[in-house]
Amino acid sequence: MEVNGKILDIVEIQKVLPHRFPFLLVDRVIEMEPDKRAVGIKNVTMNEDFFNGHFPGKPVMPGVLIVEAMAQLAGVLMLSKPENVGKIAYFMGIDKARFRKLVVPGDQLKLEISMLKCKGKFAVVQGNAYVESKLVAEAEMMFAYAD
């Protein structure tokens, strides 16, 4: 799959990731440099199932789902490599996670992933999430590839 600089829509993302509604949390990939970085978008709407209970009358996107969105974008970056097509990237660890601001319906999350290390069947990435250019979450994540 040629992805250098290419925008991936939801149909193309589903060709790379095994995730499906309601757990697919990346709507579009707007930039990608193989083995280096990716930028994606998650549109946060009131229609998300998790807003029913988190929290009634004060909807807030759970931090763990912001991290999951970053992890899914990392998966797109890692699994777009020809040698990884058809594999699954399993989330193995998280370090340095910080949540800076609330994410609410109507926000658009801009997700940015940078590859820190990639060796054999393992990878480490830095993820940052922004709303209107303000950092809302960040984390360092580790993954393992499997068939």
Side-chain angles (χ1 to χ4, degrees), residues 17-116:
L17 292 181
H19 306 76
R20 295 296 180 264
F21 177 83
F23 208 66
L24 181 57
L25 300 173
V26 179
D27 294 322
R28 182 172 294 269
V29 176
I30 59 174
E31 293 178 40
M32 187 158 21
E33 294 178 57
D35 295 325
K36 293 182 183 169
R37 63 185 291 275
V39 179
I41 299 294
K42 165 64 180 152
N43 294 305
V44 182
T45 73
M46 191 58 194
N47 297 327
E48 311 279 356
D49 286 340
F50 52 80
F51 285 133
N52 290 325
H54 200 270
F55 299 101
K58 180 67 175 153
V60 176
M61 185 173 185
V64 295
L65 293 181
I66 298 169
V67 170
E68 176 62 25
M70 292 188 293
Q72 288 180 18
L73 180 59
V76 173
L77 178 63
M78 294 180 289
L79 299 175
S80 293
K81 291 175 64 171
E83 61 269 27
N84 293 333
V85 170
K87 293 184 179 182
I88 294 178
Y90 288 102
F91 198 171
M92 301 299 290
I94 184 168
D95 287 321
K96 304 175 189 170
R98 297 288 180 267
F99 303 98
R100 310 273 180 208
K101 296 193 179 296
L102 298 180
V103 176
V104 298
D107 285 344
Q108 185 179 70
L109 276 175
K110 183 177 181 185
L111 311 165
E112 296 184 359
I113 297 299
S114 298
M115 186 69 69
L116 299 178

Side-chain angles (χ1 to χ4, degrees), residues 8-23:
L8 302 179
D9 64 19
I10 196 69
V11 173
E12 291 165 313
I13 292 167
Q14 288 179 330
K15 291 176 184 174
V16 178
L17 292 181
H19 306 76
R20 295 296 180 264
F21 177 83
F23 208 66

